[in-house]
Amino acid sequence: MGIYDTRLASLRKLMADSATDLVILGPSTNMLWLTGVDPHGDERPVLTVVSADFAGFLMPALNADMARQHTDLPFFEWADAQGPAEALSALLDAADAKRPGLSIVLDETMRADFALMVLDAMDSPKRRFTADTIGRLRAMKDETEADLLRTCARLNDDAVRHAMTQLKAGMTELDLQAILHDYYKAHGAAPEFTIIGFGANGAFPHHHTGDAVLADDMAVLIDTGCRIGGYPSDMTRSFWFGPNEPEEYKTVRRVVNAAVEAAMDAARPGVKACDVDAAARKVIEDAGYGPRFVHRLGHGLGIDVHETPYITSTAETVLEAGNVFSIEPGIYLTGNFGVRLEEIVILREKGPEIFSGLERVLDL
């Protein structure tokens, strides 16, 4: 049984466990993960429909030949000249999806017009989203996925190490970003994203890398990731450039690192995501910086850089072995500097395994 057959069988088991009659996915990473098909997403409706004993695609004819290279599931094709209505009706008939009151799961990333088209073609379905079906499956990484994520993380480590050796006064944030991106490309990876924050810019968690110039004795924040083998990396390191590191910066970095360690200690299978967030947040609050930790502790990582599970103060998700997520507390002092330290971990039975091998507290 191939990987996509295995995933489809696992999805059907969760559908049975959750009394779900139908799962309907749009062109998305959900479709890619489940079927291996990654069609061009535009205004032409593309769907995957899965029931207990049927799975098939609504597929524009102009995409069909390409998509067939990746799946043996049946296609219900439609051409621009005729529109999708007839093909969609046939697909829903094949899935026995026109019975009243079916319990369906809709891909939350689907275009609204696709979703409404499907709902209008059905008879009073009861709709929810993917969290307890394909979302839960995607959150549980197998060892093949873990190996791909680890490989990408280690390449990211090397890129950041290299970039740090190139730091010099007078360079811009964009210069440092280019060094990272060139390293990724030279080593067979694609840049995924990069946030470089020099000085006070590090106090903006989602700063747009720009023309700020590095000077001696300045805080540096690097949040960056690449993609290789279809999976991304994501890591943040914060450090001081120059010989005169202020005591406040040392204190903040020490507190943030302690918050990472507290979250690591709290993260175990069976623990709620909100309790892991709370463990890190308490360290920062106890140090007097609570209002300066302005975001959730973490997010899942897989095919998408942000996916389930989300590690937030309100997330009741019970963590499971195989979950991959970030632990990234931060303290942001507006007008001065910001410190964020981020690790990507896979949860094992005895606790988190960190993918990165780069020291968390770096000194130049």
Side-chain angles (χ1 to χ4, degrees), residues 193-197 201-209 221 223 234 236 294-296 299 306 328 332 340 342:
F193 71 94
T194 299
I195 297 171
I196 305 293
N201 287 342
F204 304 124
H206 286 166
H207 170 62
H208 293 280
T209 303
L221 184 149
D223 183 354
D234 184 4
T236 309
V294 296
H295 54 72
R296 66 193 177 198
H299 57 84
H306 287 187
E328 49 179 306
Y332 307 95
R340 180 167 65 254
E342 177 182 19

Side-chain angles (χ1 to χ4, degrees), residues 127-145:
R127 183 268 312 149
R128 67 184 194 282
F129 295 125
T130 63
D132 61 347
T133 52
I134 193 169
R136 182 179 175 191
L137 291 174
R138 283 186 59 182
M140 302 283 291
K141 271 57 181 185
D142 60 29
E143 288 307 313
T144 297
E145 292 178 294

Side-chain angles (χ1 to χ4, degrees), residues 230-243:
Y231 283 77
S233 52
D234 184 4
M235 178 182 63
T236 309
R237 293 294 184 265
S238 300
F239 50 90
W240 190 263
F241 178 76

Side-chain angles (χ1 to χ4, degrees), residues 155-164 166-167 171 173-187 189-196 209 220-226 235:
L155 176 60
N156 205 36
D157 289 350
D158 294 341
V160 173
R161 286 190 188 99
H162 171 71
M164 289 181 66
Q166 305 301 303
L167 282 170
M171 75 188 312
E173 294 170 346
L174 287 168
D175 291 334
L176 186 56
Q177 180 187 73
I179 290 168
L180 285 160
H181 289 189
D182 288 346
Y183 190 95
Y184 294 145
K185 294 171 187 176
H187 291 81
E192 184 72 15
F193 71 94
T194 299
I195 297 171
I196 305 293
T209 303
V220 176
L221 184 149
I222 300 175
D223 183 354
T224 191
C226 59
M235 178 182 63

